[in-house]
Amino acid sequence: MEVIATAKNIRISPQKVSIVTDQIKKVKPADGIAVLDFVDKSAAKPVKKVIASAIANAKNNFNLDEGTLSFKSIIVTKGPVFKRYRAVSRGRAHPILKRTSHIRIVLEGQPKAKSEPKEKVIEGGENGTKS
């Protein structure tokens, strides 16, 4: 079963986000979150947030086992570009492009095994009192 989590319009260049996502593509999502704690890049925080959201979606919405989850794909695409200008000499202006990115994470995993209900054990004598 596939689980999808997305983050749109993140104010970091897609090229910078791709550097972070390439580091965790081959590991399990839970291990990827642990690795991102030690990655010294600003893009690590939003990527970690999206992975945590995907794991939460898998557990709560689809009842999947966290141990069986794996990355099916991590896609980083371009978002809208904010165009700004910087004043330079002689009355001119140089353009500045403030890039954004969209992060899409697809996980796949197996459902949790259904456990059988346990039998109730009643302690006590004939009238149900404890002895």
Side-chain angles (χ1 to χ4, degrees):
M1 174 162 293
E2 292 185 359
V3 180
I4 300 171
T6 59
K8 293 190 171 189
N9 302 326
I10 303 298
R11 244 315 266 121
I12 300 174
S13 168
Q15 183 178 4
K16 294 177 184 178
V17 177
S18 295
I19 292 170
V20 173
T21 57
D22 289 342
Q23 294 179 358
I24 58 165
K25 280 185 178 180
K26 302 295 180 188
V27 298
K28 291 193 174 288
D31 297 336
I33 289 177
V35 169
L36 289 175
D37 286 333
F38 300 102
V39 174
D40 193 26
K41 297 279 186 184
S42 61
K45 187 175 180 181
V47 171
K48 180 180 172 184
K49 216 169 171 182
V50 179
I51 294 171
S53 175
I55 292 172
N57 289 345
K59 287 199 298 191
N60 296 325
N61 299 345
F62 297 99
N63 200 25
L64 298 180
D65 186 21
E66 186 176 352
T68 62
L69 291 177
S70 63
F71 289 115
K72 185 169 184 182
S73 65
I74 300 176
I75 302 166
V76 179
T77 56
K78 292 192 314 185
V81 178
F82 301 130
K83 296 176 181 171
R84 305 289 185 258
Y85 294 95
R86 174 144 179 107
V88 291
S89 63
R90 299 174 67 182
R92 296 180 184 182
H94 288 170
I96 297 174
L97 300 179
K98 295 183 179 273
R99 300 179 190 277
T100 62
S101 56
H102 302 316
I103 304 168
R104 183 173 192 237
I105 294 186
V106 181
L107 301 179
E108 59 183 357
Q110 300 298 323
K112 290 181 183 176
K114 293 182 182 177
S115 60
E116 297 180 19
K118 296 181 181 180
E119 297 179 17
K120 293 183 179 179
V121 177
I122 300 175
E123 294 181 13
E126 296 173 7
N127 8 354
T129 60
K130 290 188 177 182
S131 51

